[in-house]
Amino acid sequence: MKTEILSQEKEIVEAKAQFTAEEIAKAIDETYKKISREANIKGFRKGKVPRRAIELYFPKETVLAETLEKIVPDAVDKMVEEFELKLIGEPELKPEKIEEGKGYEFTVKFEVTPDIELPDISEIEIEKPIYETTPEMVQARMDSIIDAYSELVPTYEERPLTKEDYASVKFDTIVCHEDGSEEKAEEGRKTEIFLGAPNSRPEVVDAIVGRKPGEKVSVELPLSGEDAKTDHALKSRHEIEILGIMKKKDDELTDEKVKEITGKRIGSVDEFRAEIEKHLKEAGEARSTEAMKDNALFALCDKIEVELPQKLVERQKAAMKKQQEERLKGDDKTSFDEYLEKNGMDREVYDTELDAAARNIVKQALVLEAVADENDIQCTPDDLSKEIASVARRIGVEEKKFQEYVYGDANRLYNIADKLRHRKTLDYLVSAMKVKESAPEKEKRRRKKGGNSL
């Protein structure tokens, strides 16, 4: 088979594949042999059916069509490999029928990623922001941990509740059905609600704030989801009695309290403080490294001009929009139009921002791919094994089972390998660029005010 590129304009490559009459004859013969191996024809064993018998049962047009279905995809794959094409869509082709005793040719159009001319990466300078860990940060983290483990105790206050309070409540839940019937789902359940929690239902908070212990309120909430549809349920009504105002008990941090919080893993307040400081520093360094990698990619993309394939942009926009809609459906059943209205955004503004975000993502992906190709950055089998083991540990799954899960699906395996190559390419970028550490944020603010270190 002979192949050649006929033309290339931007991201469209047109190529041709040519077969000699001998190559077509051989391909047809292979098809007959395949049918012989697979066909059930009375009087013959599989694989022993002569061609003249096959011709009696299978029309020649069927054999030629099956031959075409074999040689065309193989030829397309060979052209992709031979010309090192990176496709962004399915090849476009309309092959004609083949004929015995004649040669054959077909043309195909490939939509490929654009060529990207990379600048001298070693000349690019980027910042690595430093996030310092202060004693105040350590103390704040310690306080939040102590608060999480502190016991709630009653205050016996009779004042109206505010969003700063914990409310002790008892409630019944009644489910209201489409036919007007009601069903009590819960009765006399007690719990404590922090009225300032960001994930609290606003309807419940609004009903309780301003009320005093001993008062009762009723809150109705809409029901949705498959269970609600199955049960023909419209809403739930919650009859709430406010029992009292609670507060967190002021616990002094002692060695014994530290042992209780850490399950005796840490034995003293000083060790606890040192452990928190260590974790905060590690988190700061990780945040600093990620910011540096982002800066490296942004700086490189800023120096590159490339016309983005519209198909990739549209594909990315569709994926982002679908992800947004699924998240809204899973959170509070908000429709997409309701989300836009809630955020004071009209459809045109949203589409403009979505397009810009999609273009940034597509450009970054193309640039990273170009860097990886030019510098032969690959994801080796050893890299992949280590990555799979790392992910398995992180999500708490047995490594062998997770490995079987990943290798059991080509798309899962490709996604992990692609993300790993992405990370390796970012690591290469920051190692090749000039890195300058930036002053801590607190130090920057001091300099802006004209202060000094004395």
Side-chain angles (χ1 to χ4, degrees), residues 94-110:
K94 294 180 180 179
E96 300 292 334
K97 294 179 180 180
I98 60 175
E99 298 180 38
E100 275 191 295
K102 293 184 179 181
Y104 180 74
E105 67 179 40
F106 71 91
T107 60
V108 55
K109 288 183 180 180
F110 299 100

Side-chain angles (χ1 to χ4, degrees), residues 175-222:
V175 176
C176 305
H177 297 280
E178 293 175 358
D179 61 4
S181 64
E182 295 186 347
E183 174 190 1
K184 185 169 283 188
E186 289 181 298
E187 184 174 8
R189 182 179 173 185
K190 293 183 179 180
T191 190
E192 286 79 35
I193 303 172
F194 177 47
L195 300 175
N199 59 343
S200 293
R201 293 295 298 251
E203 300 95 331
V204 175
V205 173
D206 291 344
I208 295 176
V209 168
R211 301 283 186 165
K212 295 181 181 180
E215 293 189 37
K216 295 181 179 181
V217 296
S218 181
V219 179
E220 290 188 349
L221 301 174

Side-chain angles (χ1 to χ4, degrees), residues 87-225:
L87 307 185
I88 60 177
E90 290 296 320
E92 181 184 327
L93 69 160
K94 294 180 180 179
E96 300 292 334
K97 294 179 180 180
I98 60 175
E99 298 180 38
E100 275 191 295
K102 293 184 179 181
Y104 180 74
E105 67 179 40
F106 71 91
T107 60
V108 55
K109 288 183 180 180
F110 299 100
E111 191 170 4
V112 299
T113 58
D115 291 329
I116 294 179
E117 186 176 344
L118 296 172
D120 184 351
I121 294 174
S122 65
E123 292 300 314
I124 298 177
E125 185 175 287
I126 57 171
E127 278 196 353
K128 178 183 179 181
I130 302 300
Y131 300 99
E132 65 175 343
T133 300
T134 65
E136 293 80 9
M137 291 168 63
V138 175
Q139 187 59 51
R141 180 61 181 147
M142 291 177 70
D143 291 343
S144 69
I145 294 174
I146 295 167
D147 183 70
Y149 282 88
S150 295
E151 181 185 358
L152 280 173
V153 295
T155 66
Y156 303 107
E157 297 175 280
E158 296 297 326
R159 60 174 176 80
L161 284 95
T162 71
K163 287 189 177 182
E164 304 299 318
D165 291 323
Y166 288 87
S168 174
V169 301
K170 180 174 71 173
F171 64 93
D172 299 338
T173 300
I174 298 95
V175 176
C176 305
H177 297 280
E178 293 175 358
D179 61 4
S181 64
E182 295 186 347
E183 174 190 1
K184 185 169 283 188
E186 289 181 298
E187 184 174 8
R189 182 179 173 185
K190 293 183 179 180
T191 190
E192 286 79 35
I193 303 172
F194 177 47
L195 300 175
N199 59 343
S200 293
R201 293 295 298 251
E203 300 95 331
V204 175
V205 173
D206 291 344
I208 295 176
V209 168
R211 301 283 186 165
K212 295 181 181 180
E215 293 189 37
K216 295 181 179 181
V217 296
S218 181
V219 179
E220 290 188 349
L221 301 174
L223 292 177
S224 56

Side-chain angles (χ1 to χ4, degrees), residues 167-442:
S168 174
V169 301
K170 180 174 71 173
F171 64 93
D172 299 338
T173 300
I174 298 95
V175 176
C176 305
H177 297 280
E178 293 175 358
D179 61 4
S181 64
E182 295 186 347
E183 174 190 1
K184 185 169 283 188
E186 289 181 298
E187 184 174 8
R189 182 179 173 185
K190 293 183 179 180
T191 190
E192 286 79 35
I193 303 172
F194 177 47
L195 300 175
N199 59 343
S200 293
R201 293 295 298 251
E203 300 95 331
V204 175
V205 173
D206 291 344
I208 295 176
V209 168
R211 301 283 186 165
K212 295 181 181 180
E215 293 189 37
K216 295 181 179 181
V217 296
S218 181
V219 179
E220 290 188 349
L221 301 174
L223 292 177
S224 56
E226 291 303 317
D227 289 342
K229 288 180 182 178
T230 302
D231 296 337
H232 301 284
L234 290 176
K235 61 185 177 180
S236 62
R237 188 173 71 252
H238 303 270
E239 304 293 347
I240 303 171
E241 180 183 356
I242 303 170
L243 302 178
I245 300 174
M246 311 290 284
K247 70 173 183 178
K248 286 290 184 78
K249 184 179 178 182
D250 293 329
D251 284 331
E252 181 183 352
L253 188 61
T254 62
D255 292 349
E256 288 304 312
K257 188 67 176 178
V258 167
K259 291 177 184 177
E260 177 189 334
I261 291 173
T262 64
K264 297 185 179 180
R265 185 176 59 83
I266 300 175
S268 70
V269 174
D270 289 341
E271 290 175 9
F272 188 50
R273 187 183 302 276
E275 176 93 348
I276 290 174
E277 183 176 8
K278 175 188 172 186
H279 288 165
L280 287 175
K281 285 182 176 179
E282 289 173 350
E285 178 57 29
R287 181 184 173 196
S288 175
T289 299
E290 288 305 308
M292 175 179 62
K293 290 179 181 180
D294 288 343
N295 290 343
L297 184 54
F298 296 154
L300 179 57
C301 287
D302 284 345
K303 293 184 176 296
I304 293 173
E305 292 292 333
V306 59
E307 186 172 345
L308 301 177
Q310 191 59 32
K311 179 175 287 187
L312 284 184
V313 175
E314 293 301 325
R315 190 182 300 167
Q316 182 62 40
K317 285 165 63 175
M320 293 169 71
K321 188 173 180 180
K322 182 180 179 182
Q323 187 180 43
Q324 177 77 57
E325 290 174 341
E326 287 179 348
R327 186 164 57 246
L328 291 173
K329 183 186 286 187
D331 289 346
D332 55 5
K333 317 302 179 188
T334 303
S335 71
F336 191 68
D337 289 332
E338 288 172 339
Y339 166 79
L340 293 178
E341 184 178 351
K342 184 178 179 181
N343 287 273
M345 187 184 300
D346 62 30
R347 176 73 65 169
E348 186 177 348
V349 172
Y350 171 81
D351 288 341
T352 300
E353 293 184 358
L354 180 68
D355 185 76
R359 288 182 178 279
N360 281 335
I361 292 172
V362 170
K363 183 175 182 180
Q364 290 172 9
L366 291 174
V367 168
L368 279 175
E369 186 76 14
V371 173
D373 289 343
E374 183 168 298
N375 295 279
D376 196 27
I377 299 172
Q378 301 296 335
C379 175
T380 67
D382 186 52
D383 291 334
L384 199 54
S385 294
K386 290 178 180 177
E387 179 68 9
I388 290 172
S390 174
V391 174
R393 286 193 300 271
R394 190 164 64 246
I395 64 177
V397 176
E398 185 182 335
E399 183 180 332
K400 186 177 179 181
K401 287 185 178 180
F402 186 67
Q403 190 176 54
E404 292 173 352
Y405 169 78
V406 171
Y407 281 98
D409 185 283
N411 286 331
R412 282 195 288 264
L413 183 62
Y414 173 80
N415 287 337
I416 288 182
D418 189 54
K419 288 178 181 178
L420 182 55
R421 190 177 189 227
H422 175 110
R423 286 210 313 271
K424 290 180 72 173
T425 306
L426 284 174
D427 290 339
Y428 166 78
L429 285 180
V430 297
S431 68
M433 293 179 178
K434 298 176 182 177
V435 179
K436 181 180 68 175
E437 291 189 349
S438 61
E441 292 302 313
K442 190 171 76 171

